[in-house]
Every structure is written in structure tokens, then in C-alpha cells.
Amino acid sequence: MSRDHGSDHSNVVVFPPVLPASGFLLGVLLGKLYPLAPPGPVWLRLVGAAIACAGAAGFAWMVITMKRARTPIHNRKTPTTLVETGPFRRTRNPMYLFGTVFYAGMTLVAWQLWSLALLPIVTLAMHYGVVLREEAYLDRKFGNAYRQFKQRVPRWL
């Protein structure tokens, strides 16, 4: 498989994992400077671990589904097919949905309340800087097939 670094991709504002990683790390820094609360109870951290595991499992499901469809996962490469199986039957954006679930869970595990507080900002940045651009690209790339997919499958859940 050749690398495609040409112009046939979604032109998102930043490589998507940079947004949640930046939000989480900024939250850690803010937590060091301005602590919000003492460490949370063990049971809440365990709930966070379960949430993070659910996000990681969903993300793995999405990766397996895309690999089976033989289409690139990286958004700087040209997709070869419109994937409508696996988690894509329930959400058009399983990568970002499950990544957000993982992020939320990890904030509880690590008890990073600033990172949790930054999650809405991270989500909005992802929505406007990545998701909407990817959707516009997929509409151009796959046309009516993508428009029908959008009618059948919600953006998130």
C-alpha cells in the first residue's frame, strides 16, 4: 500500500489526537497550578477505568472494522471505501466518540478534574476543526452514498 500525502484528504486543522492530548495535558498543568480537589474515591476511579476500557474497546473495534474494509484510518490518506459496518452502523464518528469516552474515563482514573472540565472545549475543537471538515470531504468523495449514510446513521449516537 502506498502512502498518500497528496491533496485528496479532509484537510483537518490538526492531526486529531493532538486535540485531546493537548486538552488533557493542559488540564494536568492547571491541576498542578490550581488544584481543584483532593484525590477522588477509589470507586469513582474504578468507574473511570471501566469507562476508559469501554472507550478503548470501541476504538479497537473501529480500527479492526476499518482494516477489514482495507481503508486507511489516518485522515491524511485517501479513503478507499465508505465504511458502514461495525460501529459505523451506530455512529458516523466512532473514532472521536470512543476517543472522547476514553478521555473522560482517564480523567477520572488520573483524577484530572481540569482535564475533565476542558473536555467540552476539546470536543468543540474536534467538531469544528475535524469532524465537519471530514464530513464535507466524505460528501465530496462519496457523494450520494455518503448523503444516504448520513440520513441513516447519526453523527454521534
Side-chain angles (χ1 to χ4, degrees):
M1 182 182 294
S2 67
R3 290 182 160 182
D4 181 356
H5 295 287
S7 62
D8 189 18
H9 56 77
S10 59
N11 291 312
V12 298
V13 296
V14 66
F15 182 52
V18 169
L19 292 171
S22 297
F24 195 90
L25 292 174
L26 177 59
V28 170
L29 177 63
L30 287 169
K32 297 275 185 211
L33 296 172
Y34 308 103
L36 292 178
V42 171
W43 70 267
L44 193 51
R45 290 174 149 201
L46 291 173
V47 168
I51 292 169
C53 285
F59 195 90
W61 183 26
M62 177 276 308
V63 168
I64 290 166
T65 300
M66 290 188 75
K67 286 194 177 285
R68 284 184 180 153
R70 297 175 198 236
T71 194
I73 295 167
H74 197 296
N75 61 356
R76 294 289 290 178
K77 295 184 179 182
T78 303
T80 57
T81 189
L82 179 61
V83 181
E84 300 181 55
T85 59
F88 293 91
R89 290 177 301 183
R90 302 277 185 239
T91 174
R92 295 194 311 260
N93 294 290
M95 180 180 302
Y96 308 126
L97 173 65
F98 292 125
T100 300
V101 170
F102 178 79
Y103 178 112
M106 288 307 297
T107 65
L108 295 175
V109 170
W111 203 249
Q112 294 299 324
L113 300 182
W114 277 108
S115 298
L116 184 58
L118 290 171
L119 181 55
I121 295 167
V122 169
T123 302
L124 284 171
M126 189 74 73
H127 178 76
Y128 288 103
V130 177
V131 172
L132 293 181
R133 288 170 179 256
E134 284 186 354
E135 287 184 350
Y137 169 74
L138 293 171
D139 187 79
R140 291 189 306 274
K141 177 82 177 165
F142 296 108
N144 195 47
Y146 183 70
R147 288 187 284 279
Q148 289 175 356
F149 175 63
K150 280 175 53 173
Q151 288 179 341
R152 285 191 317 275
V153 179
R155 180 178 282 141
W156 300 115
L157 284 178

